[in-house]
Amino acid sequence: SSPRIVPGADRCDPLLAFFPRRLKRLYFKVWPVFIVFVPLGLILGKPNVNTYVSQWIRNALLLETNFNFEWWFLTEYVILIFMTPMVMWFFRRKRSNIYNDMVWIILLNVFVTRILAGFVVKFPYAAELNVSYFWIKMSIALSLLPIYMTGAWLAKYDVFERVINSLRTSAVKRIV
């Protein structure tokens, strides 16, 4: 039988291949440091490094960072890696343009920081979610998402180059 053709599958394959590539690059940079310094911390008796295998696995996968508190942002970075295909989809949609995208990013920021965060904190049915490890990490990643998307927006539309070019042709050029 012939293979089933799924609409848009050709666009999904590169997005799905993105996860392993990006995670591999991250882990290959972090694991050498982990392999050297975490056992050293155990030998030196650092209180935050223990012998529980589950803790070692979670820390090695950057799901927790209690062995090295300076790596707090890496868990959020892993979450943002998994959100990247949504960000890429956002910028590849049909009605994507520099102005619409900026408005949507601002609205996303308002939604995440004001509405969603307020809902989880105040809504009684979300009380257990509010104190969960998942929400603690996800809320930080969601608050970073608009910043992450703004960086993608700056890159996609080459905003800095546009600003520099407009400064070269405007009144600034006449003053200088």
Side-chain angles (χ1 to χ4, degrees):
S1 83
S2 63
R4 210 173 109 195
I5 298 174
V6 179
D10 57 329
R11 290 180 298 193
C12 291
D13 290 341
L15 293 180
L16 294 177
F18 173 83
F19 296 122
R21 272 194 332 264
R22 186 58 62 141
L23 287 173
K24 181 178 157 185
R25 283 178 46 198
L26 172 65
Y27 288 142
F28 280 14
K29 289 180 182 178
V30 170
W31 283 344
V33 176
F34 185 89
I35 289 168
V36 170
F37 288 102
V38 173
L40 187 62
L42 187 63
I43 291 168
L44 295 175
K46 296 296 178 183
N48 54 326
V49 180
N50 59 49
T51 57
Y52 298 117
V53 174
S54 62
Q55 285 285 316
W56 280 69
I57 293 169
R58 286 194 299 259
N59 275 273
L61 295 175
L62 301 175
L63 300 176
E64 289 184 6
T65 55
N66 53 357
F67 286 0
N68 185 350
F69 297 121
E70 287 80 18
W71 287 1
W72 67 268
F73 60 91
L74 291 173
T75 303
E76 284 72 19
Y77 181 69
V78 169
I79 294 169
L80 287 173
I81 287 173
F82 284 102
M83 290 181 176
T84 298
M86 292 183 292
V87 173
M88 293 167 78
W89 170 84
F90 173 78
F91 286 111
R92 290 180 181 168
R93 70 191 195 288
K94 277 187 178 180
R95 300 190 193 278
S96 179
N97 71 50
I98 189 169
Y99 304 109
N100 286 343
D101 290 354
M102 194 68 234
V103 169
W104 281 111
I105 291 170
I106 291 168
L107 291 174
L108 173 70
N109 191 25
V110 169
F111 175 76
V112 166
T113 58
R114 302 292 178 220
I115 299 169
L116 184 63
F119 173 81
V120 171
V121 169
K122 294 177 184 172
F123 196 61
Y125 295 110
E128 286 187 32
L129 176 64
N130 188 32
V131 295
S132 71
Y133 179 79
F134 171 78
W135 176 251
I136 291 168
K137 293 299 183 177
M138 186 58 79
S139 64
I140 295 169
L142 285 173
S143 67
L144 294 172
L145 183 60
I147 298 166
Y148 186 66
M149 290 181 73
T150 301
W153 176 79
L154 290 167
K156 177 183 179 179
Y157 296 110
D158 208 8
V159 174
F160 290 124
E161 188 65 31
R162 287 178 182 215
V163 169
I164 290 168
N165 288 338
S166 70
L167 291 175
R168 287 183 184 148
T169 60
S170 66
V172 175
K173 185 177 180 181
R174 284 182 249 139
I175 294 172
V176 176

